[in-house]
Each structure stands twice: as C-alpha cells, then as structure tokens.
Amino acid sequence: RFFKKQKTNNDIETIINGCRENNAHCQKLLIDLYYGYALKIASKYMNSPENIEEVINDSFLKDLNTSKRLTIFPLSMDGSVG
C-alpha cells in the first residue's frame, strides 16, 4: 500500500502532485481519500443514490481532467478538510 495510516499534508501534496502528472495510482488514492467526504456532502442535498453517485463521479472526473489546477487544502488532525 502507498499509505497505510492517516494522511498528512505532505501525503496529500504527494498525491496531488501525482494527479497533476496524470498518475493513475495517485488519482485513485485521491478518490479513495475524498469519496466519503463527497458522499456526505452530496447526501445532504440529494435523495437518489444514483444522482449522488453521478454527481460525485462527475466531480472527480472534472477535477482530474483539470488536475493541473488542483489545490491542496490542509487536513485537520481528525482528517477533515479545513
């Protein structure tokens, strides 16, 4: 495994930089890292599981297609963004 424990800001930066280089492994790590967070947000605004999944997938696809402009947001100690 690439990262076994909680991600640090340096880990996130490594993943983001890999995404900027279109590294598929880093793209998967980014999705794995933020999918649950995206799911929580989307679930607050939508009821249909199909729509939630579509919005999340479209969001990741858009972000990864524009990965040269991805921004690193620091994580707090509990793993939340902010």
Side-chain angles (χ1 to χ4, degrees):
R1 294 230 136 136
F2 196 67
F3 296 108
K4 291 184 181 177
K5 51 188 166 184
Q6 184 174 347
K7 310 297 183 279
T8 66
N9 287 330
N10 288 337
D11 296 337
I12 303 299
E13 189 171 348
T14 300
I15 293 170
I16 296 292
N17 288 333
C19 289
R20 288 179 181 147
E21 297 171 3
N22 293 319
N23 179 305
H25 181 69
C26 288
Q27 291 171 342
K28 181 179 180 344
L29 288 172
L30 182 75
I31 291 168
D32 291 346
L33 180 62
Y34 287 104
Y35 191 88
Y37 182 71
L39 182 63
K40 285 180 188 177
I41 293 171
S43 297
K44 288 183 180 183
Y45 297 99
M46 293 180 224
N47 295 323
S48 165
E50 295 83 18
N51 287 345
I52 292 168
E53 185 175 344
E54 182 178 355
V55 166
I56 292 171
N57 289 338
D58 288 349
S59 297
F60 279 115
L61 184 61
K62 179 182 176 187
D63 288 341
L64 292 174
N65 282 335
T66 59
S67 61
K68 297 285 185 204
R69 297 189 315 242
L70 283 174
T71 303
I72 299 169
F73 294 100
L75 295 177
S76 67
M77 291 306 288
D78 65 359
S80 62
V81 177

